Amino acid sequence: MAFYSLIRNFELRSKFLSFEKAQINLAFYSLIRNFELCSKFLPFEKAQINLAFYSLIRNFAPCMEQLLHYTWKHKLFPLHELSTTDGRPVEVIDPGLHNRNAGPDFFNAKVKIGGTLWVGNVEIHDRASDWYLHGHDSDQAYNNVVLHVCGVVDRDVMTADGKYLTQMQLDVPAHVQEHYEELLHTDQYPPCYKIIPDLSRLTVHSWMSALQTERLEQKTQAISHRAELMGGSWEDAYFVTLARNYGFGINGDTFEQWAMNVPLRAVDRHRDDLFQVEAIFMGQAGLLDLEAVPAHYQKDALNDGYFSRLRNEYLYLAHKFQMKPLSPSRWQFARMRPQGFPHIRLSQLACLYHERKASLSSLIECETVDQLRELLRSQVTPYWETHYTFGSLSARNEKHLSTGSLNLLIINTAIPVLFAVGRHRQKETLCDRAFDLLEQLKPENNYIIRMWQQCGLDVASAGDSQALIQLKKEYCDRKECLRCRIGYEYLKR
């Protein structure tokens, strides 16, 4: 009953329930697992332990299973001889190819069992009984598994074709488990900060190169998806990507929705008239609705004439092309400098589109950073030189994009689109150019990059900064230390 009370106390803490699985202390997990296996526990009915909490603990098993995967993949075996459950010695010659998709966990492994060499697949589970929990006993894809590796072998298992599987219990070495727990629970961020200054240049360079490619591939998938949504038009996918990044984070999603809501073929028919392009852009954003203008500026907006002329032009074109605007409530203005207000960005985009500088062919022709900066350089229409919103008069300012903003557009739009088009058209020259451009640009300056610099990493180019952003977002934040090369160096100490 004392143990049951311990569980109930954990269960009642709302903060505990919000933790990620990886944040549950591994020692506590081991306590639960050992208690679950002991004979005194077996006669209990599960109803005696709150089922919700029981499920939470059992669902923590994938964390331990990942550690078993890692131990097997890198052959970090205990010092004692490995053996099957029936006492035959096991020698792992090749752990096989790690499979992250459906099917056995490792393909084409080579293991010597009792003096006989076996070549086939290996499946890994936290508990042997998970074989049945996952339905492998009825899946033909698992018939060629030659070894079932488990943290705990709690029963015999059989394949779909009726064979009993050879099983081996694998204990994670104590130092690996200890270091893994440090990575999960260290207060400092990133948790591997201790070893970063001691990493070899080759290790850092090779990992940064892989992360850089991974980030470009990830962005390529997003751009390809936009092309599909735009009916296969890569030209439109480029414009949508450009618009998204004109949001510079805060309004990125809304700019993407706006761009996909703009009938670009209709805009093309009026492209030579900047006023009409701006009317469509502002109107489709919902910013030509008088209610979108702050109440204390509405009278001035109506009196200055420009708002009314734009609105009337948009109403005519919206009827002509059956356009429907976004809700103006989607736009964010809080904690934003006036230079970044949607009105200013939309006017800059209108000028860019009017001057035919937002075309994919123009982007592909650019071979240097300077050419890209010149291509993406834009300004606002005369009205917005003295306004930040409708009816709000301000000091004259041409409102060009800064060099820093242009660099961010190149990093997040131009280079990924070049890479994506290169992949799509199978033109490696475009992919190579994307990498070269990243190396030519200075690194971004944000809190993520400064964090890594404080840890001792040298950040020399935008390629490095993009790699480190990928590292934090896709590995550190997700506690994917077992997939990280720095995590590997930490665990093998």
Side-chain angles (χ1 to χ4, degrees):
M1 293 303 295
F3 187 78
Y4 177 70
S5 299
L6 173 65
I7 294 177
R8 290 291 295 136
N9 288 336
F10 263 88
E11 182 189 2
L12 291 172
R13 294 185 183 182
S14 59
K15 290 184 180 179
F16 175 75
L17 294 178
S18 66
F19 288 173
E20 295 179 6
K21 291 174 186 174
Q23 292 175 293
I24 302 174
N25 188 281
L26 289 180
F28 180 72
Y29 175 77
S30 299
L31 178 64
I32 296 288
R33 295 284 287 109
N34 290 334
F35 186 81
E36 184 180 7
L37 291 173
C38 77
S39 59
K40 289 183 180 180
F41 178 77
L42 294 177
F44 291 172
E45 291 183 1
K46 284 184 183 177
Q48 292 177 278
I49 295 180
N50 185 280
L51 288 178
F53 186 74
Y54 179 84
S55 298
L56 175 65
I57 296 302
R58 288 292 294 118
N59 287 336
F60 182 65
C63 179
M64 296 302 295
E65 190 170 301
Q66 290 174 14
L67 196 54
L68 285 170
H69 278 230
Y70 181 87
T71 301
W72 175 266
K73 179 179 179 179
H74 296 288
K75 301 174 70 172
L76 301 175
F77 303 134
L79 295 178
H80 62 77
E81 186 181 68
L82 301 176
S83 62
T84 62
T85 53
D86 57 6
R88 288 175 292 164
V90 175
E91 179 185 354
V92 181
I93 298 171
D94 184 346
L97 180 65
H98 198 182
N99 172 39
R100 299 188 183 278
N101 300 311
D105 294 321
F106 288 85
F107 290 148
N108 301 322
K110 295 179 181 179
V111 290
K112 188 175 287 187
I113 302 173
T116 302
L117 179 64
W118 292 83
V119 178
N121 301 332
V122 171
E123 179 67 10
I124 297 178
H125 285 122
D126 178 48
R127 303 179 66 184
S129 54
D130 290 343
W131 177 270
Y132 292 97
L133 184 65
H134 299 166
H136 300 333
D137 59 309
S138 58
D139 191 338
Q140 301 287 337
Y142 291 82
N143 285 346
N144 58 356
V145 169
V146 298
L147 182 64
H148 190 209
V149 179
C150 308
V152 175
V153 177
D154 58 348
R155 65 168 298 171
D156 294 333
V157 299
M158 186 179 291
T159 59
D161 58 0
K163 295 182 304 185
Y164 279 102
L165 267 184
T166 299
Q167 301 192 99
M168 181 184 82
Q169 182 164 310
L170 178 61
D171 298 320
V172 177
H175 73 280
V176 173
Q177 186 162 330
E178 179 184 343
H179 292 155
Y180 184 48
E181 188 171 352
E182 288 174 2
L183 289 175
L184 296 181
H185 301 294
T186 300
D187 292 333
Q188 292 279 356
Y189 201 90
C192 55
Y193 70 95
K194 294 178 183 177
I195 69 162
I196 289 178
D198 300 325
L199 294 174
S200 69
R201 294 184 63 182
L202 178 60
T203 298
V204 173
H205 178 74
S206 62
W207 186 216
M208 297 266 271
S209 297
L211 288 167
Q212 188 183 130
T213 302
E214 184 180 294
R215 186 156 181 81
L216 282 175
E217 293 285 5
Q218 191 177 75
K219 291 184 177 183
T220 293
Q221 291 179 5
I223 295 167
S224 299
H225 180 61
R226 291 183 194 121
E228 291 177 11
L229 293 175
M230 303 305 289
S233 172
W234 282 78
E235 185 79 36
D236 292 355
Y238 168 45
F239 180 76
V240 173
T241 304
L242 179 64
R244 177 182 179 82
N245 290 308
Y246 252 76
F248 290 95
I250 295 177
N251 279 312
D253 289 341
T254 307
F255 263 105
E256 181 168 352
Q257 293 166 1
W258 164 82
M260 297 186 74
N261 193 42
V262 173
L264 293 174
R265 300 296 76 78
V267 180
D268 289 344
R269 294 169 62 178
H270 298 271
R271 197 168 195 165
D272 292 334
D273 189 327
L274 177 57
F275 179 76
Q276 289 184 318
V277 173
E278 188 172 54
I280 294 175
F281 280 18
M282 292 283 180
Q284 284 299 91
L287 298 178
L288 296 181
D289 183 340
L290 187 60
E291 295 302 315
V293 180
H296 52 287
Y297 291 136
Q298 289 181 4
K299 183 178 179 181
D300 291 332
L302 291 172
N303 289 337
D304 68 22
Y306 192 68
F307 173 81
S308 297
R309 287 198 301 118
L310 273 179
R311 184 175 61 171
N312 291 337
E313 188 67 28
Y314 171 69
L315 290 174
Y316 162 72
L317 293 169
H319 177 74
K320 179 180 179 180
F321 297 114
Q322 298 182 327
M323 294 185 291
K324 293 183 179 180
L326 291 181
S327 169
S329 63
R330 296 189 180 187
W331 298 102
Q332 300 292 321
F333 291 85
R335 298 187 302 277
M336 181 183 292
R337 294 179 180 178
Q339 192 86 11
F341 280 1
H343 306 77
I344 304 304
R345 297 304 185 205
L346 288 168
S347 184
Q348 290 169 338
L349 276 170
C351 290
L352 205 66
Y353 201 84
H354 166 69
E355 295 169 5
R356 289 173 167 74
K357 296 170 71 176
S359 69
L360 185 59
S361 59
S362 298
L363 174 69
I364 292 174
E365 289 173 0
C366 294
E367 296 184 352
T368 67
V369 170
D370 288 339
Q371 289 174 341
L372 285 172
R373 287 198 189 108
E374 186 58 35
L375 177 69
L376 296 174
R377 197 181 306 279
S378 185
Q379 68 283 337
V380 294
T381 54
Y383 178 84
W384 296 107
E385 290 180 0
T386 55
H387 294 78
Y388 288 102
T389 61
F390 287 110
S392 173
L393 191 64
S394 63
R396 181 174 295 278
N397 183 340
E398 292 184 351
K399 300 180 177 69
H400 293 292
L401 287 173
S402 67
T403 300
S405 295
L406 286 170
N407 287 347
L408 287 176
L409 285 177
I410 293 171
I411 291 170
N412 294 311
T413 304
I415 291 174
V417 169
L418 280 174
F419 187 85
V421 172
R423 281 280 193 262
H424 177 68
R425 297 181 181 178
Q426 297 184 335
K427 289 190 175 181
E428 287 301 315
T429 53
L430 293 179
C431 297
D432 291 341
R433 188 189 306 171
F435 285 115
D436 291 341
L437 290 168
L438 278 175
E439 294 306 311
Q440 293 174 33
L441 283 163
K442 291 182 178 179
E444 296 140 281
N445 180 20
N446 54 48
Y447 79 97
I448 295 177
I449 306 308
R450 291 192 292 272
M451 175 193 73
W452 289 113
Q453 288 174 324
Q454 290 169 4
C455 290
L457 282 179
D458 181 35
V459 187
S461 68
D464 291 341
S465 61
Q466 283 289 288
L468 293 174
I469 290 171
Q470 183 74 3
L471 178 57
K472 180 181 184 298
K473 290 186 175 181
E474 299 299 321
Y475 293 83
C476 300
D477 290 352
R478 299 185 180 190
K479 295 290 185 181
E480 292 282 4
C481 304
L482 299 180
R483 291 178 50 230
C484 174
R485 295 187 194 174
I486 299 177
Y488 168 73
E489 296 294 332
Y490 193 98
L491 290 176
K492 78 172 189 179
R493 294 181 302 151

